[in-house]
Amino acid sequence: MSAISVQDFYNDKKEDLKLEIIAGSGGLNRKITTSDINRPGLVLTGFFDYYPKERIQILGLADYLYLSNLSKEARGGILKKVFSFPEIPAIVITGSFSPHTELIDICNSSNLPLFKTSAETSIIIGEIVFYLEDLLSHKVVRHGSLVNVYGCGILIEGESGVGKSECAMGLIRRGHRFVADDLVEIHRHSEGVLVGRADKFIQNYMEVRGLGIIDVSSVFGVASLLEESKIDIVIRFEDWDPSKTYARLGLETESTEILNISLPLVVLPVKPGRDLPILVEVATLNQHLKNRGINSAQILQEKLIKKLTSKE
């Protein structure tokens, strides 16, 4: 299972989220294993039938006001019962109020990290979920080039030397946007979306045989870059094999799976004289039509069938 430490979370987000640790610093080695967060709410009233303890717990103004209406003894009792579980990675208090002393004491005694921020609850929740989802999502690294063409993320795959980088460069030259070359890091987000990006060490760089390493931002300008892109289509280049039959009509739709998500697959045979950037552009536009329910091959087939049957 993917996990990060609370210490890493704090180091990465303390500036963005204006986080201040006020108790439980001895527990910064606790692990965060899910991108979901939890607002205790009903649990503070004693309802424990559903309590996702493995999530970061967010305490907002409503929780503070409810706890303030309890006696000191009752407040201490419920806070101890709610936050005594070792699975809890951390607590984040939002808003401008100060936490109750009972909560500080419990967090210090159990080494449960307690953070405070002045930011609004909705902003904090969105930022934390986005950050954790990116880090904890399922991911894989694929060999290829990723370019955003007409708003579609195109993952170009194929054997080494088949022309992936050259095609990507041609697409960039035609105004499309470069994401990654050689190694594409692909993340699966919770809503079933695949997002690709470059490894940070080689971000913005491309290797072209005969030219060497190219800094895409320096050659084509920063407007030619995207930090990441959703992946919509996989286009696979392969050397032209005269003995193999390639798609002529396009009636059958091929697909491939990445991280258990099915994506349209287009296999393009490569041989001298084929303009691969144009073919990738057309494949992208054709996929746009298919996504709208317009399949040119099927329309033509239906016309032919209608014409043939009308003669009988």
Side-chain angles (χ1 to χ4, degrees):
M1 178 183 295
S2 299
I4 66 165
S5 68
V6 176
Q7 178 72 70
D8 288 339
F9 162 72
Y10 177 56
N11 292 342
D12 289 345
K13 302 303 291 182
K14 62 182 176 182
E15 298 296 334
D16 294 341
L17 303 182
K18 302 176 182 178
L19 291 174
E20 175 189 357
I21 185 162
I22 54 178
S25 58
L28 289 172
N29 61 338
R30 292 193 182 210
K31 299 298 183 183
I32 304 171
T33 59
T34 176
S35 60
D36 295 322
I37 60 91
N38 183 59
R39 300 191 65 181
L42 286 174
V43 180
L44 295 174
T45 69
F47 182 81
F48 283 84
D49 288 3
Y50 177 71
Y51 181 23
K53 303 177 285 294
E54 72 285 357
R55 303 178 183 179
I56 290 178
Q57 307 295 312
I58 306 291
L59 293 176
L61 180 59
D63 306 303
Y64 173 79
L65 293 175
Y66 170 76
L67 291 168
S68 297
N69 286 327
L70 301 178
S71 67
K72 184 178 180 67
E73 182 180 354
R75 184 165 56 242
I78 191 64
L79 287 174
K80 185 175 183 180
K81 187 175 181 181
V82 171
F83 297 120
S84 61
F85 298 94
E87 303 97 310
I88 301 173
I91 304 171
V92 177
I93 294 177
T94 63
S96 57
F97 57 88
S98 298
H100 298 95
T101 56
E102 295 85 0
L103 179 60
I104 293 176
D105 292 341
I106 290 168
C107 289
N108 279 327
S109 63
S110 59
N111 288 321
L112 172 58
L114 176 63
F115 299 101
K116 185 179 184 302
T117 175
S118 58
E120 295 181 7
T121 304
S122 58
I123 294 175
I124 288 295
I125 290 175
E127 288 284 341
I128 292 177
V129 169
F130 183 81
Y131 165 78
L132 293 177
E133 188 171 78
D134 185 54
L135 282 180
L136 301 178
S137 61
H138 298 291
K139 61 184 178 181
V140 68
V141 175
R142 297 282 283 257
H143 180 65
S145 298
L146 179 59
V147 184
N148 190 278
V149 180
Y150 299 128
C152 269
I154 310 299
L155 178 62
I156 303 173
E157 296 187 329
E159 295 295 328
S160 180
V162 77
K164 300 183 296 297
S165 298
E166 289 84 349
C167 178
M169 182 174 290
L171 289 166
I172 299 166
R173 184 68 181 83
R174 296 169 71 87
H176 305 294
R177 305 184 73 182
F178 171 77
V179 182
D181 183 58
D182 193 24
L183 299 177
V184 182
E185 189 178 281
I186 302 172
H187 295 252
R188 172 178 172 161
H189 288 195
S190 58
E191 62 270 24
V193 172
L194 295 177
V195 175
R197 62 172 68 106
D199 182 277
K200 290 191 179 295
F201 187 74
I202 58 173
Q203 192 173 26
N204 304 344
Y205 291 98
M206 171 185 290
E207 178 195 355
V208 181
R209 292 171 188 255
L211 295 179
I213 303 299
I214 301 297
D215 184 339
V216 175
S217 61
S218 298
V219 175
F220 297 101
V222 294
S224 64
L225 301 175
L226 270 183
E227 185 175 341
E228 63 180 29
S229 172
K230 177 185 173 186
I231 299 176
D232 299 282
I233 311 172
V234 177
I235 295 182
R236 185 170 299 151
F237 290 171
E238 61 178 51
D239 289 323
W240 189 294
D241 183 355
S243 65
K244 184 175 179 179
T245 301
Y246 295 101
R248 297 289 298 272
L249 298 178
L251 289 171
E252 295 182 0
T253 301
E254 293 189 70
S255 64
T256 186
E257 282 196 356
I258 300 177
L259 295 173
N260 295 321
I261 293 179
S262 181
L263 293 171
L265 171 66
V266 177
V267 178
L268 286 179
V270 176
K271 70 175 183 178
R274 301 204 91 192
D275 192 328
L276 295 178
I278 288 182
L279 292 176
V280 170
E281 284 183 329
V282 173
T284 305
L285 293 172
N286 195 43
Q287 187 61 45
H288 273 305
L289 290 174
K290 289 181 178 180
N291 292 341
R292 292 163 49 195
I294 303 171
N295 188 313
S296 302
Q298 288 182 353
I299 292 172
L300 177 58
Q301 183 187 47
E302 290 169 3
K303 286 182 177 180
L304 288 172
I305 291 174
K306 185 176 181 179
K307 184 174 183 178
L308 290 173
T309 53
S310 64
K311 292 181 178 180
E312 294 178 356

